[in-house]
Amino acid sequence: MMEDYKAALRAGQRAYRACVARGQSPYLAVLDDILMNVNIVSQEDLGLINIPAEQIVGTKTSGRHTAFAPNFMPLLGPDTEFASKWSNLCDAHLSEGIHSPVTAYEFLNRFYIQEGNKRVSVLKHFDAASIPGTVTRLIPARNDSTESRIYYEFLDFYKLSQINEVNFSRPGGYAKLQKLVCKASNEAWTDDDRLNFKAFYTMFRQQYLALGGGQLPLAVGDALLVYLSVYRYSDACEATPAQLKAQLTKLWDEITVLTQPQAVELSLEPPAAKPPLLNVRIPRLTELKVAFLHEHDAQTSAWVKAQQEALPVLASTFQDRVILTTREHVDSFVDAGQVIEEVAHDGADVIFTSSIRMHTACLKVAAQHPKTKFLNCSLNAPHPLVRTYYPRTYEATYLLGILAGIMSPTNWVGFVGTNPIYGVPAAINAFAQGLKTVRPEGRILLRWACLPDPEHPLDFSDRPEITVFYARDSREAPDTFRDYGLCRRLPSGLLQPLGLPVWRWDIFYQAIIRSILDGTWETGANGRAINYWWGMKSGAVELSYSQELPGGTLQLLDLVEKQLQDGILHIFPIKSYAQGHKLCSPKGPIYSPKELMEMDWLDECVEGSLPHYDELNAKTRFLVDINGLDIIKQAPDSPAAQ
């Protein structure tokens, strides 16, 4: 129909003018031109697939590229032969459909048509979601660019899912999506999995664009991850378009935050407290109901016990300005969401959850209770709906590494890692730096509490040369959830504590609650996620040493601690070497907080490795899914893991 051609022509002319105004080419992109300086290392025949229409962005050769605007709408006049052929093809599509597949090349998950440009133009005019085509994939050489990293992650994901509709603007998206749709890191998708996801994604994309998502500098996949981090995928697949739109509306502020250059605000020290209001009674309406939720209890968990020791301090500090309540034995697998919902529904103003495993449940409930403030004790998992708080553990392990080097009679010491999550490699590597400060030839044997092995006990009793090690605090009963510290195995087999980190949770809680009471909670946040990551200077991290340590040793440790607090001493040198003598250096003059949090390598003096996802039990996998290092979730033979 010529009327359809004229309508398509007007759309093409609008796109043409918009590109000219932006100083961009007003014609189709040409793949041959794009590839002029690109090293293609391999080609892959994908066969006949459905090509997402929005990802068809150009033509293979320059032959007729000026006949189309970048949106594939025509630019030639209605009296041309081209217009007549386009119109006839339109008639065929309306009467019986276009059945012949196009021929295309895929490059960086974008498609370029070699044969069938007019078919694509007609189908795009009628808003076709996908277009069948025979496709050849062109794979460029890997490099350090963000685009290359994302594409190679996509290749791994595509092998499992055969899904090519979803794009991300930053690395890590495909691994997160695999997890959020309840798939293991290397689990292949079934045909039903693909059909269900495509139906859900089509509806999600429609509602996202209807809310104005097309105007945001984000890939639809970026918004999808925000949505699925709050709403369970199985429930999302059952949602109606109206329900999904309402849910997206609630999350819109969290999605738009992603457009900011720095979506996460990192707090490295507590804010300065405002002077107290003398002789002024805070009105009843400003009382805060503060709830603390724990996975275990103070009798069997040193972690919970330390958290609970902060409550008397809070009660003394704020007196009648806060009402404090505690819930223990909140099962992260079974009822965390229900318990958090009950506490929020009962009027809690602030909810602190002390287990990383509760982070996902917090997100789901926080979306329904925007007036309640949610915080989760975790590192590098902040979200605008849920702030996170955690001590800088690597500062403590650095000092304990120095102590281990002094107290060990051999060059070997041990280290028991908790779980392969954010911050743990930095703690191990800081321990290594401390050890090498006083014992340059020192070596560390690494074992993991999450991988119990009777033949390799966590007290290193199978290794007589290792008598000093960082492991679970021996002062707690063996069947409890214990804290960690440096200890020495005596000839009798008993463990003697040498140094124990003390996490001062009252420092966190006082500063956070005070910011709410004095009205500075939102200061500087601007809707961004907040990650409180405080260290020794703030008082949130302390060390308790054995009184039997030599006085000179304690004096040295105190001096090093003061240099750390004053910023004179930096733990990690500019040139560090990972296992295999691989050079690791920060991007700037020192390691940034983000580089420390996301550190995923081990110092070359460490014997041992990061465990892989498939080695872990279900409970630890759940923890890793929320807060685990991306590198351990990748298949061992994945190019991205090598």
Side-chain angles (χ1 to χ4, degrees), residues 51 77 182 194 310 411:
I51 307 172
C182 305
R194 280 185 283 275
N411 280 334

Side-chain angles (χ1 to χ4, degrees), residues 355-623:
S355 170
I356 300 173
R357 293 183 181 89
M358 295 189 204
H359 187 272
T360 301
C362 278
L363 283 176
K364 297 184 190 321
V365 179
Q368 309 302 319
H369 295 271
K371 293 184 179 180
T372 304
K373 295 172 175 58
F374 293 84
L375 298 103
N376 178 254
C377 188
S378 58
L379 178 65
N380 204 36
H383 189 283
L385 292 172
V386 179
R387 297 187 182 186
T388 60
Y389 60 100
Y390 210 78
R392 293 206 292 272
T393 57
Y394 71 89
E395 293 180 348
T397 57
Y398 174 71
L399 290 166
L400 294 178
I402 294 175
L403 179 58
I406 295 172
M407 301 301 294
S408 176
T410 72
N411 280 334
W412 279 95
V413 299
F415 194 103
V416 177
T418 52
N419 297 287
I421 58 176
Y422 289 118
V424 170
I428 298 171
N429 292 336
F431 185 82
Q433 292 298 329
L435 172 67
K436 292 189 294 184
T437 297
V438 295
R439 194 180 285 269
E441 302 303 318
R443 300 281 296 170
I444 297 171
L445 179 60
L446 174 64
R447 289 176 177 172
W448 292 93
C450 58
L451 294 176
D453 180 359
E455 295 185 4
H456 301 92
L458 300 183
D459 64 356
F460 300 92
S461 54
D462 61 320
R463 295 286 294 264
E465 75 276 25
I466 297 178
T467 59
V468 175
F469 47 88
Y470 182 86
R472 290 177 172 176
D473 180 13
S474 62
R475 292 174 295 179
E476 301 288 343
D479 58 346
T480 62
F481 296 90
R482 295 175 289 172
D483 215 334
Y484 282 65
L486 189 72
C487 55
R488 174 169 56 188
R489 189 176 62 253
L490 300 176
S492 64
L494 295 176
L495 301 184
Q496 176 191 31
L498 298 176
L500 180 69
V502 178
W503 317 125
R504 290 286 307 277
W505 300 112
D506 57 301
I507 299 295
F508 283 100
Y509 295 146
Q510 285 185 85
I512 292 170
I513 291 173
R514 185 176 289 112
S515 74
I516 298 170
L517 288 171
D518 65 21
T520 61
W521 165 267
E522 295 292 351
T523 301
N526 296 322
R528 292 178 293 182
I530 305 292
N531 189 351
Y532 302 101
W533 196 32
W534 299 343
M536 287 186 157
K537 184 177 181 180
S538 70
V541 180
E542 295 179 349
L543 281 166
S544 174
Y545 296 113
S546 168
Q547 294 303 308
E548 298 181 18
L549 293 180
T553 298
L554 291 172
Q555 190 175 27
L556 172 63
L557 293 170
D558 288 343
L559 176 62
V560 175
E561 180 178 332
K562 186 177 187 307
Q563 289 181 323
L564 275 177
Q565 293 187 25
D566 293 343
I568 299 172
L569 173 66
H570 298 294
I571 293 175
F572 296 97
I574 294 177
K575 291 185 178 180
S576 299
Y577 288 91
Q579 293 171 329
H581 201 62
K582 179 182 177 182
L583 178 63
C584 297
S585 298
K587 292 182 179 179
I590 61 173
Y591 280 89
S592 69
K594 182 176 176 62
E595 288 173 320
L596 292 172
M597 283 188 284
E598 298 182 355
M599 189 176 283
D600 59 3
W601 50 270
L602 298 174
D603 191 280
E604 64 178 343
C605 78
V606 177
E607 180 182 298
S609 61
L610 296 170
H612 187 261
Y613 186 88
D614 294 337
E615 300 177 85
L616 306 173
N617 61 30
K619 190 170 185 178
T620 307
R621 286 185 183 183
F622 182 51
L623 175 66

